[in-house]
Amino acid sequence: MSTKLPERTETKAAEARHMPGRESADRKQVTQGRWAYTLLTPTLILLAVVIIYPVVNAIIMSFQKDAGLNPATGFFEEGGPAGFDNYAHWLFQQCNGAACPPGTLGAQFWNSFGTTFFFTAVTVAFETVLGFWMAVIMARSFRGRSAVRAAVLVPWAIPTAVTAKLWFFIFAFDGIANKLFGTQILWTGSEWPAKWAIIIADVWKTTPFMALLILAGLQLIPDEVYEAAKVDGASSWQRFTQITLPLVKPALMVAVLFRVLDALRMFDLPYIMTQGANNTSTLSILVVDQIRQGFNSAAALSTITFLVIFIVAFIFVRFLGANAVGAATSSGRK
């Protein structure tokens, strides 16, 4: 079967391609595209300097030895190529070809790795549930709604260092928590009380952020959809599971993605509350502690942390539907 266009259609198409107005529009589009690239170039250069250069430089440093004393010669040496020794130091907990002694930073990698993911999983789970509940309440129409929304955002607006100090005093041995519940718990002096103290402080601070993002998604759902569901006899639970959850899922997944990436980089809250003691050290705290002993080994740990966060972000975007830009583009094409 021939796929050639009819002669009349082909003639019309040729005339349209050679119309003066069409050529002018094409030239205008090309000019606008060049002008757009011209305007974007300074921003791209700035991003390359601020983001790409530090990442590449850290990767290069991670393959260099830290300066130190050479036991064979007794002299202080500047280091040199290290290959994958810095990565083996962390991933396999090797120190000078042997297992790192307990208590050293190299021996703490997998504990810090597990603690980081534990904090991330627990805090994000609590913040998602509480944030969703708060967003549903704030989405309703009632007197004083604006005041409630402003009050909810106060914990998120407080600097993290101030929040950490506030909860440090609350969980002190003679602090509000023990006075309120009549207990004598060393909240920051033992492992699990310290972990839950950090989780509570983080949930208190960051839940408003989740609520704000989820609220933005809820407000995009038309009221007509709920009214039609009520007319059809759908219950409140059916409206929630069949309308609210599916329609708010893109905003919800983006909120969870942002929060997960932020939690994986958690540093100031546990560092101020516990100094990373009692098995509360995260990967970011371990990087800062290692900087005092060697920049190159710390660069290797930073690279590992970067790869972990990148893989988590890729999984969210590729498989869990957290690609808000792609979703918006596809819906616009429809």
Side-chain angles (χ1 to χ4, degrees):
M1 183 176 179
S2 176
T3 58
K4 186 177 180 180
L5 292 172
E7 184 177 351
R8 182 176 179 182
T9 304
E10 193 170 324
T11 304
K12 292 289 185 181
E15 291 177 354
R17 286 194 297 268
H18 292 87
M19 288 177 61
R22 179 59 180 267
E23 293 179 358
S24 177
D26 291 342
R27 284 197 300 268
K28 184 178 180 180
Q29 187 176 3
V30 172
T31 303
Q32 289 178 345
R34 291 174 179 173
W35 181 240
Y37 281 114
T38 303
L39 294 176
L40 287 174
T41 299
T43 303
L44 295 176
I45 294 175
L46 181 61
L47 289 175
V49 172
V50 174
I51 298 176
I52 298 178
Y53 171 74
V55 172
V56 174
N57 190 48
I59 294 174
I60 294 174
M61 290 176 60
S62 68
F63 291 102
Q64 302 293 320
K65 292 181 180 178
D66 289 315
L69 189 67
N70 189 336
T73 61
F75 291 101
F76 189 85
E77 297 180 354
E78 288 296 328
F84 289 93
D85 289 347
N86 289 330
Y87 292 94
H89 170 69
W90 298 111
L91 297 176
F92 304 108
Q93 298 182 333
Q94 293 182 357
C95 297
N96 297 322
C100 294
T104 59
L105 294 179
Q108 298 177 26
F109 173 77
W110 287 110
N111 286 336
S112 298
F113 186 90
T115 300
T116 301
F117 274 85
F118 172 76
F119 282 151
T120 300
V122 176
T123 56
V124 173
F126 277 114
E127 290 161 6
T128 302
V129 174
L130 294 176
F132 205 113
W133 173 68
M134 293 166 60
V136 169
I137 293 177
M138 291 188 293
R140 297 175 180 174
S141 297
F142 57 89
R143 182 178 297 179
R145 182 175 65 174
S146 299
V148 171
R149 290 181 177 181
V152 164
L153 292 176
V154 170
W156 183 51
I158 298 176
T160 307
V162 178
T163 299
K165 273 298 181 183
L166 171 65
W167 284 95
F168 176 80
F169 291 126
I170 291 176
F171 287 116
F173 183 73
D174 55 350
I176 298 174
N178 281 338
K179 296 290 185 182
L180 184 62
F181 297 106
T183 57
Q184 294 182 345
I185 301 175
L186 292 172
W187 286 97
T188 57
S190 51
E191 179 178 351
W192 285 105
K195 286 183 175 180
W196 283 107
I198 293 171
I199 289 170
I200 293 171
D202 190 72
V203 169
W204 179 82
K205 174 175 174 55
T206 321
T207 297
F209 171 76
M210 296 288 290
L212 185 65
L213 294 182
I214 297 172
L215 176 62
L218 289 175
Q219 291 182 329
L220 295 177
I221 303 176
D223 294 334
E224 293 79 5
V225 178
Y226 291 106
E227 294 173 0
K230 289 180 181 179
V231 171
D232 292 338
S235 63
S236 299
W237 178 250
Q238 288 174 329
R239 293 196 299 270
F240 178 76
T241 56
Q242 302 298 323
I243 298 176
T244 304
L245 282 180
L247 294 181
V248 84
K249 180 183 176 182
L252 178 63
M253 294 308 302
V254 171
V256 172
L257 171 62
F258 286 170
R259 186 64 202 111
V260 165
L261 298 184
D262 190 39
L264 289 174
R265 299 181 292 107
M266 186 184 297
F267 168 77
D268 38 9
L269 196 63
Y271 189 80
I272 294 174
M273 292 183 68
T274 65
Q275 298 289 314
N278 300 309
N279 200 19
T280 59
S281 177
T282 62
L283 289 175
S284 297
I285 293 178
L286 202 61
V287 170
V288 174
D289 290 339
Q290 179 59 37
I291 288 175
R292 302 187 182 100
Q293 300 184 13
F295 286 100
N296 296 331
S297 183
L301 181 56
S302 298
T303 303
I304 294 173
T305 304
F306 167 77
L307 291 176
V308 169
I309 295 175
F310 177 81
I311 292 171
V312 171
F314 177 79
I315 292 173
F316 266 87
V317 173
R318 183 66 179 84
F319 300 105
L320 299 181
N323 189 1
V325 177
T329 304
S330 60
S331 62
R333 288 175 180 174
K334 291 179 182 179

